[in-house]
Amino acid sequence: MRRKDREVKDLNTIKEIISKCEVVRLAMCEDNIPYIVPLNYGYEFDGNNLVLYCHCANSGKKLDILSKNPNVFIEIDNEHNIIKGKTPCDYGFEYFSIMSNGKVEFVHDIYDKVHGLNKIMEHYTSNVKNEFKNEVLNKVVLLKITCNNLSAKICRG
């Protein structure tokens, strides 16, 4: 990171940032052509590694790419605020962000799917009851993204 004064290394601060965000951008690549999609997510930490869970339909371009190349890059950001100035060069932008490379695994085990789907629900609501119908569990694709090189940044005025 070029601006070391904006770097966040404290894991508790990183966890707080992730808890406040709502969308992860998942970047992948096929035949040297990048592709990026926004996804809802749930998360947990395995030691210092961030583990994200995302769900999707059982077909589509994203799954085609990931089945060939599970290497991805994620970006999460929030708290956007324009810093106004007197001249164009005085303007700035406040935000915080998390980035990391990672690897996608397709989750097939029903109990692991329920765990990941509960993590997604926990992130957005306190209404988690483990009540997923089997027909839904059999249709939904759950992605587990293990991020092993977190970079966090807070940019303030």
Side-chain angles (χ1 to χ4, degrees), residues 15-56:
K15 288 178 180 181
E16 183 181 339
I17 291 169
I18 292 168
S19 74
K20 292 180 179 179
C21 297
E22 295 178 343
V23 174
V24 61
R25 287 163 193 83
L26 180 67
M28 57 208 92
C29 195
E30 178 182 45
D31 298 327
N32 233 8
I33 299 171
Y35 185 70
I36 189 168
V37 293
L39 297 167
N40 297 110
Y41 67 93
Y43 67 95
E44 63 187 352
F45 278 82
D46 181 9
N48 289 332
N49 291 334
L50 170 64
V51 178
L52 298 173
Y53 296 97
C54 303
H55 66 86
C56 57

Side-chain angles (χ1 to χ4, degrees), residues 113-131:
K113 274 189 180 182
V114 169
H115 174 78
L117 292 170
N118 277 326
K119 289 298 177 185
I120 294 169
M121 292 301 297
E122 285 173 17
H123 183 58
Y124 296 103
T125 181
S126 60
N127 186 18
V128 179
K129 296 181 181 174
N130 296 319
E131 295 178 6

Side-chain angles (χ1 to χ4, degrees), residues 9-157:
K9 291 188 175 188
D10 178 65
L11 191 57
N12 288 327
T13 303
I14 291 171
K15 288 178 180 181
E16 183 181 339
I17 291 169
I18 292 168
S19 74
K20 292 180 179 179
C21 297
E22 295 178 343
V23 174
V24 61
R25 287 163 193 83
L26 180 67
M28 57 208 92
C29 195
E30 178 182 45
D31 298 327
N32 233 8
I33 299 171
Y35 185 70
I36 189 168
V37 293
L39 297 167
N40 297 110
Y41 67 93
Y43 67 95
E44 63 187 352
F45 278 82
D46 181 9
N48 289 332
N49 291 334
L50 170 64
V51 178
L52 298 173
Y53 296 97
C54 303
H55 66 86
C56 57
N58 58 14
S59 65
K61 184 173 183 172
K62 169 177 63 246
L63 295 180
D64 294 342
I65 293 171
L66 293 173
S67 65
K68 295 176 196 167
N69 181 2
N71 297 307
V72 296
F73 197 86
I74 63 104
E75 190 275 344
I76 305 169
D77 62 77
N78 206 348
E79 292 200 5
H80 310 123
N81 186 38
I82 294 175
I83 302 166
K84 295 183 179 181
K86 292 180 181 177
T87 67
C89 291
D90 292 335
Y91 275 70
F93 199 65
E94 294 182 329
Y95 63 93
F96 52 67
S97 67
I98 306 283
M99 296 188 294
S100 181
N101 59 322
K103 192 160 200 157
V104 170
E105 298 172 56
F106 292 93
V107 177
H108 300 289
D109 179 85
I110 293 295
Y111 296 106
D112 291 340
K113 274 189 180 182
V114 169
H115 174 78
L117 292 170
N118 277 326
K119 289 298 177 185
I120 294 169
M121 292 301 297
E122 285 173 17
H123 183 58
Y124 296 103
T125 181
S126 60
N127 186 18
V128 179
K129 296 181 181 174
N130 296 319
E131 295 178 6
F132 299 102
K133 295 180 181 178
N134 282 338
E135 68 182 58
V136 172
L137 291 171
N138 291 328
K139 282 187 201 176
V140 72
V141 172
L142 185 71
L143 306 175
K144 178 181 179 182
I145 307 162
T146 302
C147 304
N148 51 27
N149 190 18
L150 285 181
S151 172
K153 179 179 183 178
I154 294 180
C155 181
R156 297 283 184 229

